[in-house]
């Protein structure tokens, strides 16, 4: 697949969540032991962590409460924007574990570009063991839904609960949704000629190029351009590694539909969906079949935590408070 088209996927799936302006904290986290409410004690701050194949991953622990690892989207977006603008609002209820996946954000690239889904899942499990946790919650956004669901399939006993925010479980269907909606946003004269039978990434690249020329690109993820600009400023504050993004679709497993597998996952699940989320697909969440899922549909597009911050924070906190103490 052409690298130009892969970059378009990075741009549109990229996880840039923002919330209400929050007071900043010191960049260097205090290395103090924080005990979550009824949960295990973890050292807060950055955690030195290398995978079994010697990839250095960025990990940071903050807050107190039920341990919760953030599974970012993108692919390749990293956890920084979430930590700075969304995660802090949840740290009173959840002990947030901010992880940049291999080849993403502030983490190192994988030798031989090994970004297979099974390897990403293994990284999560190795981190859980490194932190000494019996169970944890996975909070996944966008493309991170694929990784979180695959982890829950492989290690169901290790997942206390899932929180899926604007999650993508069928990347091919989500690409088709973006192409169709993006094309509909364009004035008739600006719509590109989409070659019949062209791969979806190629179609999306043409549509995104036209949207950019019309200053409409933000509408694929945000209802307001001011929100998109604020999120973009945060995302640019740290350099990011895009190696995973450049190679993700070298691996066919990332193009599969993981929604059918959800019927066999019995852990509690909170699904947060945007009514007009044309990045995931506005009705994509209806394909989820978790037996114990709660679905909250909110106004907005692909970033519910910013467009409805009070409602989403309340939903997450209520959900987390109902989880049994381990």
């Amino acid at each position: 697949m052409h690298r130009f088209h892969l970059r378009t996927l990075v741009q549109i799936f990229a996880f840039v969540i923002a919330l209400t302006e929050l007071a900043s904290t010191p960049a260097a986290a205090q290395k103090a032991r924080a005990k979550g409410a009824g949960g295990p004690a973890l050292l807060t701050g950055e955690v030195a962590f290398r995978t079994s194949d010697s990839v250095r991953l960025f990990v940071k622990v903050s807050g107190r409460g039920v341990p919760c690892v953030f599974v970012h989207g993108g692919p390749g977006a990293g956890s920084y924007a979430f930590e700075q603008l969304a995660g802090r609002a949840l740290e009173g209820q959840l002990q947030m574990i901010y992880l940049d996946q291999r080849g993403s954000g502030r983490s190192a690239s994988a030798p031989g570009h090994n970004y297979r889904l099974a390897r990403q899942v293994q990284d999560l499990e190795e981190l859980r063991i490194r932190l000494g946790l019996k169970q944890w919650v996975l909070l996944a956004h966008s493309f991170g839904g694929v990784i979180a669901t695959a982890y829950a399939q492989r290690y169901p006993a290790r997942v206390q609960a899932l929180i899926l925010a604007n999650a993508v479980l069928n990347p091919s269907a989500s690409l088709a949704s973006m192409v169709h909606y993006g094309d509909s946003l364009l004035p008739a004269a600006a719509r590109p000629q989409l070659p019949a039978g062209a791969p979806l990434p190629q179609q999306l690249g043409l549509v995104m190029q036209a949207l950019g020329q019309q200053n409409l690109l933000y509408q694929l993820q945000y209802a307001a351009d001011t929100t998109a600009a604020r999120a973009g400023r945060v995302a640019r504050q740290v350099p990011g590694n895009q190696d995973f993004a450049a190679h993700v679709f070298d691996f066919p497993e990332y193009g599969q539909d993981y929604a059918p597998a959800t019927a066999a996952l019995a852990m509690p699940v909170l699904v947060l969906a945007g009514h007009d989320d044309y990045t995931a697909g506005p009705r994509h969440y209806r394909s989820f079949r978790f037996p114990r899922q709660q679905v909250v549909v909110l106004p907005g597009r692909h970033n519910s935590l910013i467009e409805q911050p009070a409602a989403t924070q309340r939903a997450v906190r209520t959900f987390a408070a109902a989880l049994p103490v381990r």
Side-chain angles (χ1 to χ4, degrees):
M1 191 177 295
H2 195 283
R3 291 266 177 116
F4 171 79
H5 298 133
L6 286 169
R7 285 197 295 270
T8 69
L9 296 182
V10 176
Q11 292 172 335
I12 195 57
F13 271 129
F15 177 41
V16 184
I17 285 185
L19 286 174
T20 53
E21 295 297 334
L22 302 171
S24 60
T25 58
Q30 183 180 1
K31 298 288 184 178
R33 185 171 295 273
K35 185 173 180 62
L42 293 179
L43 286 174
T44 58
E46 293 186 21
V47 177
F49 177 62
R50 285 185 180 270
T51 65
S52 59
D53 61 344
S54 299
V55 178
R56 179 191 55 78
L57 301 186
F58 178 88
V59 180
K60 181 179 177 182
V61 179
S62 296
R64 50 192 298 124
V66 178
C68 177
V69 62
F70 176 60
V71 186
H72 65 73
S79 64
Y80 180 77
F82 177 82
E83 177 196 353
Q84 295 298 312
L85 300 172
R88 292 179 185 174
L90 303 175
E91 288 177 7
Q93 189 73 47
L94 298 169
Q95 186 160 54
M96 293 303 307
I97 301 162
Y98 302 108
L99 165 68
D100 288 1
Q101 298 152 19
R102 57 176 53 213
S104 306
R106 292 156 288 180
S107 290
S109 299
H113 307 298
N114 181 8
Y115 299 112
R116 292 190 176 279
L117 181 57
R119 182 65 248 191
Q120 296 284 15
V121 166
Q122 185 176 342
D123 288 352
L124 281 167
E125 179 62 2
E126 290 179 6
L127 176 59
R128 182 197 63 79
I129 294 169
R130 166 70 173 79
L131 296 176
L133 298 173
K134 292 183 178 179
Q135 283 191 320
W136 55 2
V137 174
L138 278 69
L139 191 167
H141 178 266
S142 192
F143 191 83
V146 168
I147 298 173
T149 300
Y151 179 89
Q153 285 182 274
R154 179 66 180 84
Y155 300 104
R158 301 306 182 186
V159 181
Q160 187 173 4
L162 292 172
I163 302 172
L164 302 179
N166 303 99
V168 169
L169 297 190
N170 184 349
S172 295
S174 296
L175 284 174
S177 174
M178 285 186 283
V179 170
H180 178 76
Y181 182 64
D183 191 62
S184 74
L185 291 172
L186 291 164
R191 289 177 181 167
Q193 293 294 321
L194 301 178
L200 283 170
Q202 180 180 351
Q203 294 184 43
L204 182 59
L206 294 171
V207 170
M208 288 184 64
Q209 183 178 36
L211 288 170
Q213 293 169 350
Q214 298 293 316
N215 295 318
L216 295 172
L217 188 56
Y218 73 91
Q219 291 193 30
L220 281 174
Q221 289 203 34
Y222 299 95
D225 58 351
T226 53
T227 303
R230 180 155 59 99
R233 285 195 298 272
V234 174
R236 290 191 293 271
Q237 288 176 6
V238 295
N241 186 351
Q242 295 294 328
D243 200 47
F244 175 33
H247 293 277
V248 61
F249 289 110
D250 293 347
F251 308 104
E253 60 263 35
Y254 289 109
Q256 297 176 14
D257 181 6
Y258 291 89
T262 61
L265 299 178
M267 66 283 298
V269 179
L270 174 63
V271 177
L272 301 173
H275 184 272
D276 298 309
D277 181 359
Y278 291 94
T279 296
R283 304 295 177 264
H284 183 49
Y285 67 92
R286 293 184 179 178
S287 66
F288 301 176
R289 293 291 181 265
F290 298 100
R292 300 172 63 191
Q293 71 183 25
Q294 304 173 34
V295 178
V296 179
V297 181
L298 298 158
R301 299 194 181 173
H302 194 54
N303 291 279
S304 295
L305 287 169
I306 181 173
E307 294 180 312
Q308 296 292 330
T312 51
Q313 290 175 33
R314 181 168 59 251
V316 171
R317 288 169 177 163
T318 300
F319 179 76
L323 296 176
V325 175
R326 299 299 185 187

